[in-house]
Amino acid sequence: MTKPTTIIARDDAAIRITDLNKWYGTYHALRGINLTVNQGERIVIAGPSGSGKSTLIRCINRLETHQKGQIVVDGIELTSDVKNISKIRSEVGMCFQNFNLFPHMSILENCILAPMSVRGLSRKDAEDVAMHFLEKVRIGDQATKYPGQLSGGQQQRVAIARSLCMKPRAMLFDEPTSALDPETIKEVLDTMITLAEEGMTMICVTHEMGFARQVADRVIFMDKGKIVEENTPEEFFDNPQHKRTQLFLSQIFGH
Ligand SMILES: Nc1ncnc2c1ncn2[C@@H]1O[C@H](COP(=O)(O)OP(=O)(O)OP(=O)(O)O)[C@@H](O)[C@H]1O
Ligand SMILES: [Mg+2]
């Protein structure tokens, strides 16, 4: 029996970034970034302060606009077309350092807002979805509270649940644990590890190198607006190639 030939014509990448350049005024913040993230792939982005990590993440969600190059998310190119932008924002969840929950809304209300307004779910369906994901991040019993009544770690888990309620195809994290107490960091990382194990496509900017080692398929190291090194966590940590990476790791690990 001959094997059938399969011709894959469609672009299987979740996110494809080609020669991305971004300026803030005259400051050249991203300088020719090329990055392809496959479906289900977990990427950790590391690098010194000011290297452009947040800018890159924010360009993928069009929270910042780029001036040159191409970003394609799930086959849709990011242009100034509003339809594209809102489509991508509804498919790509984003979690920030400071949670960005609406303070005047209960946890449940925070979670049902976008599914109702963007996805068109009924309140009942949106609440069912919200409770499912709030249970999943082990916070279902807090649904009627307001963000200010929760700890930082709990708020961040709500923020993750809120993103998941949109059933995103990929999740972007920008230092989701860096505003948290050491004791609560683990509960948020555990939530992210569970997501990763379930096959979520993820790009995480984080200084949690233990998480990077455990979860990442690839670690990307940025410096001065460029990707200077890109490798498996094993190679990245044990055999860093670039001088800048070696310096960064020695500062983090103190050797
Ligand atoms: N809105 C802005 N206007 C002007 N310059 C900006 C703006 N946002 C960022 N920058 C500059 O762009 C560069 C990259 O910033 P970015 O926030 O992406 O760095 P980062 O790698 O995320 O740093 P950190 O680790 O401190 O979060 C920095 O030099 C920063 O000062
Ligand atoms: Mg940043």
Side-chain angles (χ1 to χ4, degrees):
M1 213 174 84
T2 51
K3 241 175 131 191
T5 321
T6 319
I7 299 164
I8 301 169
R10 79 173 237 276
D11 188 343
D12 269 342
I15 298 164
R16 187 182 294 281
I17 297 170
T18 315
D19 191 29
L20 178 66
N21 284 269
K22 155 123 196 113
W23 285 263
Y24 290 110
T26 56
Y27 182 74
H28 198 174
L30 294 178
R31 301 164 175 250
I33 301 281
N34 291 297
L35 175 65
T36 300
V37 184
N38 294 315
Q39 302 284 353
E41 203 178 10
R42 282 91 40 131
I43 307 279
V44 162
I45 301 180
S49 183
S51 57
K53 306 179 299 294
S54 296
T55 303
L56 174 58
I57 288 275
R58 292 168 66 83
C59 281
I60 297 173
N61 228 9
R62 200 73 179 178
L63 292 170
E64 297 288 353
T65 54
H66 59 277
Q67 284 81 32
K68 183 166 170 262
Q70 200 186 34
I71 305 178
V72 178
V73 179
D74 246 334
I76 304 168
E77 185 178 355
L78 271 181
T79 62
S80 49
D81 184 337
V82 177
K83 262 197 259 135
N84 279 0
I85 297 166
S86 48
K87 170 110 180 81
I88 279 157
R89 291 219 181 120
S90 67
E91 304 295 344
V92 180
M94 173 111 196
C95 258
F96 304 90
Q97 183 174 351
N98 294 322
F99 330 133
N100 289 14
L101 297 171
F102 296 113
H104 60 291
M105 290 183 177
S106 73
I107 298 310
L108 187 63
E109 285 166 334
N110 263 279
C111 291
I112 65 175
L113 187 67
M116 286 173 66
S117 61
V118 179
R119 294 264 192 251
L121 262 58
S122 70
R123 176 171 284 270
K124 167 81 176 64
D125 288 348
E127 285 183 355
D128 288 349
V129 172
M131 286 312 299
H132 169 78
F133 286 111
L134 287 170
E135 299 289 351
K136 190 179 159 78
V137 301
R138 292 176 292 106
I139 217 154
D141 54 342
Q142 314 278 351
T144 57
K145 288 194 180 169
Y146 285 80
Q149 298 172 295
L150 268 54
S151 73
Q154 290 173 326
Q155 289 187 58
Q156 191 60 295
R157 282 184 282 147
V158 170
I160 294 172
R162 180 176 65 172
S163 288
L164 294 177
C165 288
M166 290 294 282
K167 309 266 175 76
R169 289 163 178 271
M171 287 282 291
L172 311 175
F173 294 90
D174 191 357
E175 301 201 30
T177 59
S178 58
L180 302 177
D181 299 331
E183 314 88 75
T184 53
I185 287 176
K186 187 176 178 302
E187 64 192 35
V188 172
L189 290 179
D190 284 346
T191 303
M192 293 168 66
I193 290 168
T194 306
L195 267 185
E197 286 170 352
E198 289 172 359
M200 177 66 82
T201 306
M202 292 165 67
I203 303 183
C204 312
V205 175
T206 181
H207 298 304
E208 295 294 331
M209 294 296 132
F211 171 81
R213 225 183 232 279
Q214 184 180 348
V215 166
D217 296 304
R218 259 190 297 162
V219 181
I220 305 276
F221 183 78
M222 290 183 67
D223 187 34
K224 299 194 178 100
K226 289 186 177 165
I227 294 177
V228 295
E229 189 154 346
E230 182 174 345
N231 227 325
T232 60
E234 294 74 26
E235 281 295 308
F236 180 81
F237 290 112
D238 300 337
N239 191 19
Q241 298 299 308
H242 198 279
K243 274 237 150 22
R244 192 65 192 80
T245 318
Q246 292 163 1
L247 177 66
F248 178 80
L249 289 174
S250 71
Q251 282 165 345
I252 283 198
F253 295 113
H255 56 75

